[in-house]
Amino acid sequence: MIRLLLRALLRVYFRRVEVVGAEHVPGGGAAVFAPNHPNSLLDPLVLFASVARPVSTLAAEPLFRKPLLGWVMRSIGAIPVYRREDQADRSKNRETFRAAREHLAGGGAIAIFPEGVSHDDPSLRPIRTGAARIALGVNGAGPVLLVPTGLFYTARTHFRSDALVCFGEPIPVHPAPVEEGEPSPDAVQALTSRLETAMGRLVLQAKERKELRLVAAAERIFTT
């Protein structure tokens, strides 16, 4: 019910939400969606509306302490993340990672925003290692599919603007050797770099506008 309500509200808020690369969305099995984060709380809602299957999200822990928003977060199965910028106890992220990995091992899907914070910069910020650490630490049947995702808005803060969601080709992730309860740093860094490159191809970045598939899709969709 919560997901249906959110999708209905998005249809009111946005003039339209277009999806490119829907064929890259895994229909089942463990999947980690990794979008950029240009529009705060709207980003996970737009992602939910663009994916047919249930998707849990990792979200900043302070959001869970807000009366109505906290209830919504728990209702959609969100998992709290404890961030340095919130002056939180980051050791609690061990439980966050455990919960995320268990969800994936059961064939579920999660969304994690690797940049760590929402921003309106014209370029992708350096991504953090959480998505790679979670995906590499899952022991389940089959690989985890890490799906780079690009989000774009014609007018980020305006009512009845347009949104574009671009899914890239999934990266199959197999479990990595574990050292003291975590995947090896070398494996984490290699996968993080690969994800950052893949996300960079999908995100509208000021220095690379002419080279991105996203720009061509945005021009074609929003000028017709």
Side-chain angles (χ1 to χ4, degrees):
M1 289 179 60
I2 291 293
R3 292 180 187 279
L4 289 174
L5 176 61
L6 293 176
R7 286 170 179 165
L9 291 174
L10 283 177
R11 291 191 191 101
V12 173
Y13 186 83
F14 290 104
R15 189 171 66 94
R16 55 180 169 174
V17 177
E18 295 285 347
V19 177
V20 174
E23 69 276 11
H24 296 315
V25 176
V32 177
F33 294 91
N36 60 315
H37 206 357
N39 207 359
S40 191
L41 293 175
L42 283 177
D43 292 337
L45 304 186
V46 170
L47 179 65
F48 295 159
S50 305
V51 179
R53 61 185 296 188
V55 180
S56 297
T57 186
L58 274 67
E61 186 276 334
L63 299 177
F64 290 79
R65 290 186 259 127
K66 298 182 181 296
L68 178 59
L69 187 56
W71 175 78
V72 171
M73 289 292 179
R74 287 183 286 273
S75 296
I76 63 175
I79 302 170
V81 175
Y82 300 87
R83 305 183 305 174
R84 181 185 295 109
E85 49 264 47
D86 298 323
Q87 288 78 52
D89 180 2
R90 297 178 67 215
S91 67
K92 293 181 178 180
N93 282 328
R94 294 192 188 96
E95 176 60 24
T96 298
F97 281 28
R98 184 197 64 78
R101 287 166 178 160
E102 285 186 357
H103 186 69
L104 292 168
I110 66 170
I112 179 170
F113 294 88
E115 293 172 287
V117 293
S118 180
H119 64 90
D120 59 358
D121 295 347
S123 300
L124 187 71
R125 287 192 179 184
I127 70 171
R128 304 183 185 186
T129 60
R133 291 167 62 195
I134 289 172
L136 287 165
V138 176
N139 288 307
V144 175
L145 295 180
L146 181 57
V147 186
T149 306
L151 300 176
F152 173 75
Y153 303 90
T154 53
R156 194 173 59 89
T157 60
H158 292 180
F159 179 67
R160 301 301 290 169
S161 66
D162 300 301
L164 174 64
V165 185
C166 189
F167 295 105
E169 185 174 351
I171 302 170
V173 181
H174 297 273
V178 172
E179 300 174 4
E180 299 182 358
E182 284 291 323
S184 70
D186 288 346
V188 169
Q189 190 54 55
L191 181 56
T192 298
S193 297
R194 187 176 176 187
L195 175 61
E196 188 166 38
T197 298
M199 290 178 66
R201 297 192 186 105
L202 301 172
V203 175
L204 184 61
Q205 302 198 67
K207 295 179 181 179
E208 302 175 2
R209 289 176 187 257
K210 294 182 180 179
E211 302 175 8
L212 297 179
R213 176 190 178 198
L214 180 59
V215 177
E219 290 176 348
R220 184 180 68 253
I221 290 169
F222 296 135
T223 60
T224 59

